[in-house]
């Protein structure tokens, strides 16, 4: 009998976001099905529902005819579903064979581990996959690719009917990818249900038979891989022609004199950083995740220690010992991690907006509640924050509204904002709000502020920023004007060795 | 915005009901002994110590940390004060001030251990608690130091206003509760505690200084505990190294019962005060109806568990509410899209 998994009417909401809406999907055994969509489309959440890690608010999982409701990952594993995550779930100190048999180690009657049996069975599995791995080697000493293979062997040993891969090729090299694909095809030919999540178009067309496309938490459609094209898939994923959003931006056309000048900046994480930012300019920072962009900004903001180098603000040399001093000088930072570093989640919208200017909202000894409310209200109106009251706690807001609260905080008229640093401002925000954020960025520039715009989404930086600085491994590797920038030349700089 | 009617659905109303219920139950159970004037005074005496230590605990809990050395610091400050006044002949008012300063130094040491050496607050304050208890025994032995004829301490311990009805220490405590309550809800400093307690990292990136605040709060907790220690010796007339050690967790218990979230960021002084009242009435009631002191500890443990359970239930209900509102807003958002 052919295996299949059918998800029916799956819904799941998290604070501030509806992660999955009315998902219906049937995945057949004997085929590799790709699950694709933009960041935040809900792919990982859907995988977690399958693996029993998240309990959906509604919906059922039909596993080849059996209706399942998982409330614990163990139940999903017992039912035959294995998910191989980006972060490997192995015990690094234990050997390969122990990891493969981690929840079912062969033992004798006294409960002691039967090492000979364990090794024999582990070796059999390793040979089935045609791999060159020593079963007694501690997993921590294996390469990333080999560790992934151990994960796959674990799933195989459990005799899983459904095997899901979450971005499996991200840490792999070409030769390793070949091995992985060989094994995936083997699993497919055994009739297993294989679900494959990836961002890489090339390999999706290489390895998968079916495509399931998600967008904003909903299932858009499914396609037979051989009958579609990359362009069509991208359009389905994004749900619109990308070009328009950017074409309609009202940009600033009067770029002023130099506002900020960084020269030879060194910290523990970044080296020899020099650049200039002009009044009214949107300066993009592109690069791969971990290239050191966030660290440059932290140093600028007085949060990380500067080892050497000079920073000049309007020609005057400055050095900030704490974020407080940077804020007083007019440099504001919207950090990358909104929930951990940006917002004070259990506090209200108004508390969050007034946080950096408490001193200016005092009347004698006490806080002046009226001017605080006025300040928050002004922010709410300016950025169109959708909320019934300013007392609403920020944890209850959607990602887009949360970002607007942070923008309102840093551009209030109690602060003399000269430079605004936006670190991944559109991360986890839905497409409609993204366009709003782009326009806000341009508006800030039109007011004569200097805006630093960090983003890992290439199209976004290329289209919003006036000038783009590219970083790689803690160094600046190049600078491109928007007119000359293409995905190819920026990416080449970002991956420069 | 809050309306008048909503008071009945707030947790303060629930806490008030619990207080009234406890009073009624224990009064009936003890055949009226519970509300005899002498017993009411016992409750208030207990509330004085609980209140002072509880304020410090409440501030620290709002910041997301805790100090279990407060009781030991208070006992130690009492011993120092008695040592200076009785054995060295220093005027008792000056002795009290020095003792409070010594207590504050202990608080500073807590803060240094936590901020510089990065010890978890629980470990740091627990070791401080052991050190000071030991030091207290060295100064006062297990017999303690008895206090006689000391002008300032007698004033604090024995003076009563309004025809001998209201002891001066009650007035001191109420004053502390009100002032600290106002600081918390009305001033920049109070707001800073909430913001840093809500998210330390984000607060720092907003230009606040959570580290500095941490020092202030540990020193403040030690200051209040030392004041409690002085009040204790002036009432009981003996400085004991273990005088306030039973208050190790009571401040934390009161704060949790009063609705301060474990982990910081929300809660207030009104809730804390009600939490303290519940504890004081409960402890007194248990002994009034005839259980011995060992039972009180068992019941205190149970009470703490109940408090934490309520905290957890509230958190879960809140999370559900958050999901519900976001679901609702997602739905209305959808409508807007289609419209």
């Amino acid at each position: 009998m052919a295996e299949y998994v059918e998800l029916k009417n799956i819904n799941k909401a998290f604070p501030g976001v509806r992660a999955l809406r009315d998902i219906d999907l049937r995945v057949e055994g004997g085929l590799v099905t790709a699950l694709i969509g933009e960041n935040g489309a809900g792919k990982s959440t859907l995988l977690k529902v399958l693996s029993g890690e998240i309990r959906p608010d509604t919906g059922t999982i039909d596993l080849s005819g059996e209706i399942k409701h998982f409330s614990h990952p163990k139940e999903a594993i017992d039912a035959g579903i294995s998910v191989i995550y980006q972060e490997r779930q192995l015990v690094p100190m234990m050997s390969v064979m122990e990891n493969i048999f981690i929840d079912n180690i062969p033992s004798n009657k006294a409960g002691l581990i039967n090492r000979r049996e364990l090794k024999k069975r582990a070796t059999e599995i390793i040979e089935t996959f045609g791999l060159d791995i020593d079963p007694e080697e501690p997993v921590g000493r294996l390469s990333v690719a080999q560790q992934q293979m151990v994960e796959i062997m674990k799933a195989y040993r459990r005799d899983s009917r459904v095997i899901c891969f979450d971005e499996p090729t991200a840490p792999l090299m070409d030769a390793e990818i070949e091995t992985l694909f060989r094994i995936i095809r083997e699993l497919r030919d055994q009739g297993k249900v294989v679900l494959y999540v990836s961002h890489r178009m090339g390999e999706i067309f290489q390895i998968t038979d079916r495509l399931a496309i998600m967008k904003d938490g909903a299932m858009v459609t499914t396609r037979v891989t051989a009958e579609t094209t990359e362009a069509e898939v991208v359009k389905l994923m994004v749900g619109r022609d990308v070009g328009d959003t950017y074409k309609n931006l009202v940009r600033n056309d009067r770029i002023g004199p130099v506002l900020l000048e960084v020269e030879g900046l060194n910290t523990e994480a970044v080296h020899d950083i020099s650049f200039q930012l002009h009044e009214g300019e949107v300066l993009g920072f592109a690069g791969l995740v971990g290239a050191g962009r966030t660290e440059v900004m932290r140093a600028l903001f007085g949060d990380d220690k500067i080892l050497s180098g000079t920073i000049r603000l309007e020609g005057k040399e400055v050095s900030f010992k704490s974020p407080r001093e940077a804020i007083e000088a007019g440099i504001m930072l919207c950090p990358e991690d909104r929930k951990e570093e940006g917002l004070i989640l259990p506090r209200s919208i108004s508390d969050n907006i007034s946080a950096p200017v408490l001193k200016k909202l005092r009347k004698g000894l006490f806080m002046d509640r009226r001017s605080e409310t006025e300040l928050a209200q002004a922010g709410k109106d300016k950025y169109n924050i959708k909320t019934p009251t300013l007392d609403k706690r920020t944890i209850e807001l959607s990602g887009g509204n949360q970002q607007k609260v942070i923008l309102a905080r840093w551009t209030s008229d109690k602060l003399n904002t000269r430079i605004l640093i936006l670190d991944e401002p559109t991360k986890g925000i839905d497409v409609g709000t993204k366009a709003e954020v782009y326009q806000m960025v341009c508006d800030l520039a039109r007011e004569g502020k200097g805006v630093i715009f960090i983003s890992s989404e290439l199209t976004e930086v290329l289209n919003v920023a006036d000038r783009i600085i590219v970083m790689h491994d803690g160094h600046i590797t190049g600078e491109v004007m928007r007119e000359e920038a293409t995905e190819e030349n920026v990416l080449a700089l970002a991956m420069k060795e | 915005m809050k309306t008048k009617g909503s008071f009945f659905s707030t947790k303060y109303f629930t806490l008030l009901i619990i207080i009234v219920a406890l009073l009624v139950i224990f009064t009936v159970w003890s055949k009226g002994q519970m509300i005899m004037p002498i017993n009411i005074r016992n409750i208030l005496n207990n509330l004085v110590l609980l209140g002072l230590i509880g304020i410090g605990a409440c501030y620290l809990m709002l910041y997301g940390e805790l100090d279990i050395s407060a009781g030991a610091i208070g006992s130690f400050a009492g011993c120092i004060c008695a040592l200076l006044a009785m054995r060295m002949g220093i005027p008792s008012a000056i002795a009290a001030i020095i003792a409070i300063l010594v207590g504050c130094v202990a608080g500073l040491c807590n803060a240094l251990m936590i901020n510089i050496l990065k010890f978890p607050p629980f470990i740091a304050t627990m070791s401080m608690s052991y050190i000071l208890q030991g030091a207290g025994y060295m100064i006062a032995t297990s017999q303690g130091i008895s206090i006689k004829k000391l002008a300032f301490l007698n004033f604090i311990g024995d003076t009563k206003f309004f025809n001998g009805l209201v002891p001066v220490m009650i007035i001191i405590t109420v004053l502390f509760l009100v002032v600290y309550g106002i600081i918390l809800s009305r001033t920049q400093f109070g707001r800073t505690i909430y913001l840093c307690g809500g998210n330390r990292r984000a607060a720092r990136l907003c230009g606040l200084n959570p580290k500095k605040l941490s020092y202030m709060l540990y020193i403040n907790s030690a200051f209040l505990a030392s004041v409690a220690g002085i009040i204790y010796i002036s009432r009981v007339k003996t400085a004991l190294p273990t005088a306030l050690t039973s208050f190790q967790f009571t401040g934390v218990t009161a704060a949790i019962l009063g609705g301060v979230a474990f982990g910081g960021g929300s809660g207030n002084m009104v809730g804390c005060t009600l939490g303290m009242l519940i504890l004081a009435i409960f402890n007194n009631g248990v002994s009034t109806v005839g259980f011995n002191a060992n039972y009180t500890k068992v019941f205190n443990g149970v009470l703490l568990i109940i408090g934490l359970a309520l905290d957890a239930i509230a958190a879960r209900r809140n999370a559900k509410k958050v999901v519900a509102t976001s679901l609702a807003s997602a739905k209305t958002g959808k409508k807007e899209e289609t419209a």
Side-chain angles (χ1 to χ4, degrees):
Chain A
M1 194 190 76
E3 303 278 2
Y4 68 86
V5 180
E6 188 165 4
L7 299 166
K8 283 181 192 152
N9 189 33
I10 304 273
N11 276 288
K12 177 75 199 175
F14 292 117
V17 54
R18 221 176 140 200
L20 297 175
R21 359 181 144 190
D22 312 324
I23 300 281
D24 290 305
L25 175 67
R26 187 180 161 112
V27 188
E28 302 288 344
L31 294 171
V32 179
T33 305
L35 190 58
I36 53 177
E38 285 188 299
N39 276 331
K43 296 163 301 193
S44 302
T45 316
L46 193 60
L47 276 193
K48 284 185 179 150
V49 166
L50 260 180
S51 70
E53 226 170 297
I54 290 178
R55 218 176 174 159
D57 298 333
T58 70
T60 54
I61 301 170
D62 177 348
L63 205 59
S64 312
E66 302 162 42
I67 305 292
K68 299 282 184 188
H69 294 272
F70 302 131
S71 51
H72 192 273
K74 180 91 173 74
E75 293 175 21
I77 290 169
D78 291 344
I81 298 180
S82 284
V83 178
I84 292 150
Y85 289 107
Q86 281 161 296
E87 318 82 50
R88 275 152 297 283
Q89 327 221 307
L90 299 168
V91 188
M93 295 83 73
M94 285 168 74
S95 67
V96 170
M97 56 190 195
E98 284 166 321
N99 267 291
I100 295 178
F101 285 90
I102 190 128
D103 50 359
N104 187 21
I105 290 184
S107 53
N108 60 23
K109 276 180 199 142
L112 297 174
I113 292 172
N114 184 344
R115 284 188 71 84
R116 198 183 309 154
E117 174 74 10
L118 177 64
K119 188 172 175 187
K120 196 184 111 211
R121 286 169 59 185
T123 313
E124 278 170 22
I125 295 177
I126 295 171
E127 278 167 6
T128 315
F129 282 87
L131 296 169
D132 180 28
I133 296 176
D134 176 3
E136 292 184 84
E137 184 91 3
V139 159
R141 275 198 237 145
L142 299 180
S143 74
V144 174
Q146 286 173 322
Q147 291 186 15
Q148 200 175 49
M149 296 303 161
V150 175
E151 279 272 15
I152 298 172
M153 288 189 280
K154 193 163 88 185
Y156 175 83
R157 192 270 304 158
R158 282 174 178 155
D159 202 19
S160 301
R161 297 186 271 178
V162 181
I163 301 177
C164 313
F165 295 88
D166 189 6
E167 303 254 5
T169 54
L172 302 187
M173 308 211 273
D174 286 352
E176 297 166 336
I177 293 176
E178 277 315 307
T179 317
L180 175 73
F181 283 2
R182 180 171 59 75
I183 287 166
I184 288 179
R185 288 194 187 101
E186 219 159 274
L187 294 168
R188 178 194 65 191
D189 296 342
Q190 289 169 9
K192 298 196 185 296
V193 178
V194 183
L195 206 55
Y196 188 92
V197 175
S198 178
H199 272 117
R200 299 185 180 175
M201 279 297 163
E203 59 184 53
I204 285 170
F205 278 87
Q206 197 184 335
I207 185 75
T208 69
D209 308 298
R210 296 283 183 277
L211 296 169
I213 301 160
M214 290 186 74
K215 176 180 173 310
D216 297 338
M219 192 59 67
V220 179
T221 181
T222 51
R223 285 277 189 279
V224 175
T225 311
E227 293 169 6
T228 184
T229 61
E230 241 175 78
E232 191 200 10
V233 172
V234 171
K235 206 170 166 190
L236 286 167
M237 268 168 59
V238 182
R240 85 208 118 90
D241 267 326
V242 190
D244 292 352
T245 333
Y246 302 114
K247 252 178 256 160
N248 297 335
L249 281 181
V250 186
R251 298 173 193 276
N252 178 32
D253 45 13
R254 289 188 312 274
I255 290 179
V258 175
L259 187 57
L260 179 81
E261 201 178 358
V262 176
E263 225 179 276
L265 182 79
N266 282 293
T267 73
E268 274 175 14
V270 296
H271 313 286
D272 200 21
I273 302 296
S274 303
F275 67 90
Q276 291 183 335
L277 170 70
H278 299 257
E279 270 177 28
E281 181 183 37
V282 179
L283 179 63
F285 267 75
L288 303 177
V289 172
R293 296 166 299 168
T294 301
E295 287 75 8
V296 170
M297 299 313 150
R298 265 199 226 142
L300 261 183
F301 194 56
D303 188 36
D304 274 2
K305 214 171 140 194
I306 294 174
L307 299 176
S308 67
T310 53
I311 303 170
R312 275 186 290 274
L313 187 62
E314 294 190 306
K316 253 188 281 166
E317 195 171 328
V318 289
S319 81
F320 307 124
K321 282 188 281 303
S322 70
R324 150 120 301 186
E325 294 179 6
I327 293 167
E328 273 162 9
I331 300 182
M332 313 298 160
L333 171 72
C334 301
E336 175 182 5
D337 194 332
R338 238 180 345 256
K339 292 183 172 157
E340 293 296 322
E341 305 203 308
L343 287 170
I344 298 156
L345 287 174
R347 305 304 302 173
S348 68
I349 296 173
S350 121
D351 281 9
N352 269 282
I353 292 179
S354 66
V357 292
L358 292 177
K359 206 184 263 175
K360 289 174 186 147
L361 295 170
R362 254 175 17 187
K363 216 182 208 172
L365 282 174
F366 301 117
M367 296 288 301
D368 179 7
R369 292 218 174 127
R370 193 192 291 166
S371 48
E372 188 177 4
T373 312
E374 276 167 13
L375 181 85
Q377 187 63 43
K380 183 191 165 195
D381 294 344
K382 183 168 176 188
Y383 290 102
N384 188 22
I385 300 170
K386 288 186 195 97
T387 171
T389 138
L390 294 167
D391 292 330
K392 205 176 171 87
R393 295 178 310 156
T394 47
I395 192 170
E396 298 172 37
L397 299 176
S398 68
N401 278 314
Q402 289 182 335
Q403 191 61 276
K404 289 177 186 177
V405 170
I406 298 181
L407 282 171
R409 170 199 292 163
W410 292 127
T411 54
S412 79
D413 55 11
K414 299 273 179 207
L415 283 170
N416 175 27
T417 306
R418 319 292 296 283
I419 297 170
L420 196 68
I421 304 167
L422 303 167
D423 195 350
E424 305 277 3
T426 58
K427 202 170 152 189
I429 287 180
D430 60 86
V431 183
T433 317
K434 272 186 188 175
E436 270 185 78
V437 171
Y438 301 147
Q439 187 54 56
M440 285 171 203
V441 168
C442 293
D443 289 345
L444 290 165
R446 280 150 54 94
E447 290 168 22
K449 297 179 170 69
V451 183
I452 294 178
F453 183 82
I454 303 181
S455 173
S456 296
E457 260 182 63
L458 263 187
T459 22
E460 184 177 280
V461 217
L462 291 183
N463 285 289
V464 176
D466 298 314
R467 190 158 55 96
I468 298 128
I469 287 177
V470 190
M471 285 189 69
H472 172 77
D473 200 18
H475 296 269
I476 289 180
T477 47
E479 189 183 313
V480 221
M481 299 303 288
R482 181 175 64 238
E483 296 76 26
E484 306 153 4
T486 61
E487 301 223 354
E488 289 73 32
N489 62 19
V490 171
L491 203 58
L493 289 167
M495 313 220 315
K496 192 173 184 174
E497 284 307 317
Chain B
M1 284 288 125
K2 271 177 200 140
T3 58
K4 270 183 186 168
S6 71
F7 173 76
F8 294 101
S9 57
T10 60
K11 61 181 172 232
Y12 308 121
F13 185 63
T14 321
L15 291 172
L16 271 179
I17 288 186
I18 294 174
I19 289 172
V20 173
L22 283 174
L23 272 176
V24 170
I25 291 169
F26 283 120
T27 305
V28 173
W29 196 349
S30 66
K31 301 190 180 71
Q33 264 190 59
M34 183 75 187
I35 49 168
M36 299 283 277
I38 182 151
N39 196 52
I40 296 280
R41 217 173 63 208
N42 281 340
I43 296 179
L44 291 178
N45 280 338
N46 201 14
L47 194 65
V48 167
L49 305 176
L50 185 55
L52 292 171
I53 291 179
I55 294 170
C58 170
Y59 267 45
L60 264 171
M61 294 261 306
L62 286 174
Y63 174 69
E65 292 189 357
L66 82 176
D67 175 8
I68 59 170
S69 67
I73 291 175
S75 316
F76 184 70
C79 293
I80 291 280
C81 179
L83 174 78
L84 294 175
M86 294 305 297
R87 302 233 172 108
M88 297 181 181
I90 295 170
S92 62
I94 296 171
I97 291 171
I98 296 174
I100 290 173
L101 287 177
V102 171
C104 291
V105 171
L108 174 66
C109 293
N110 279 335
L112 287 169
M113 280 192 276
I114 289 156
N115 287 296
I116 307 262
L117 302 177
K118 310 278 177 208
F119 288 178
F122 189 88
I123 305 295
T125 57
M126 189 166 73
S127 32
M128 178 56 70
S129 164
Y130 284 131
I131 290 168
L132 293 185
Q133 261 184 56
Y137 274 108
M138 283 192 259
I139 292 172
T141 72
S142 49
Q143 264 82 54
I145 302 172
S146 36
I147 311 267
K148 289 178 200 102
K149 294 183 199 141
L150 294 173
F152 177 69
L153 292 186
N154 285 347
F155 169 74
I156 298 282
D158 304 333
T159 316
K160 297 181 180 68
F161 293 132
F162 305 111
N163 301 329
L165 275 178
V166 186
V168 72
M169 36 191 208
I170 293 288
I171 296 174
I172 295 176
T173 308
V174 171
L175 213 63
F176 270 105
L177 281 169
V178 170
V179 169
Y180 273 90
I182 291 174
I183 290 177
L184 198 55
S185 65
R186 287 291 161 82
T187 67
Q188 186 189 347
F189 181 73
R191 179 68 64 80
T192 311
I193 298 175
Y194 283 116
L195 294 175
C196 293
N199 184 343
R200 220 150 294 182
R201 177 86 185 122
R204 176 175 150 80
L205 294 180
C206 282
L208 304 176
N209 193 342
K211 223 175 194 181
K212 188 171 120 197
L213 182 64
S214 160
Y215 280 89
M216 294 170 85
L217 293 180
Y218 279 103
I219 292 173
N220 176 57
S221 167
F223 164 74
L224 290 165
S226 308
V227 172
I230 304 292
I231 288 181
Y232 178 87
I233 63 166
S234 63
R235 174 164 61 81
V236 180
K237 310 290 181 217
T238 311
L240 286 167
T242 54
L244 297 173
T245 35
S246 64
F247 286 87
Q248 206 172 21
F249 292 107
T250 37
V252 178
T253 314
I256 290 174
L257 279 175
V260 176
F262 212 75
S266 70
N268 62 37
M269 197 49 87
V270 179
C272 276
T273 309
L274 293 173
M276 291 166 198
L277 268 171
I278 291 180
L279 262 190
I281 291 169
F282 188 82
N283 284 345
N284 180 278
V286 168
S287 60
T288 309
V289 297
F291 290 103
N292 71 26
N294 299 333
Y295 282 97
T296 322
K297 284 212 163 164
V298 174
F299 288 132
N300 263 327
V302 173
L303 219 50
L304 182 57
I305 291 173
I306 293 174
L308 282 171
L310 289 177
D311 185 47
I313 292 169
R316 206 165 303 164
R317 198 178 294 162
N318 235 323
K320 269 192 191 147
K321 196 181 116 201
V322 168
V323 169
T325 50
S326 63
L327 262 176
S329 68
K331 267 176 196 154
T332 53
K334 223 178 186 180
K335 262 180 220 152
E336 278 165 22
E337 271 167 39
T338 50

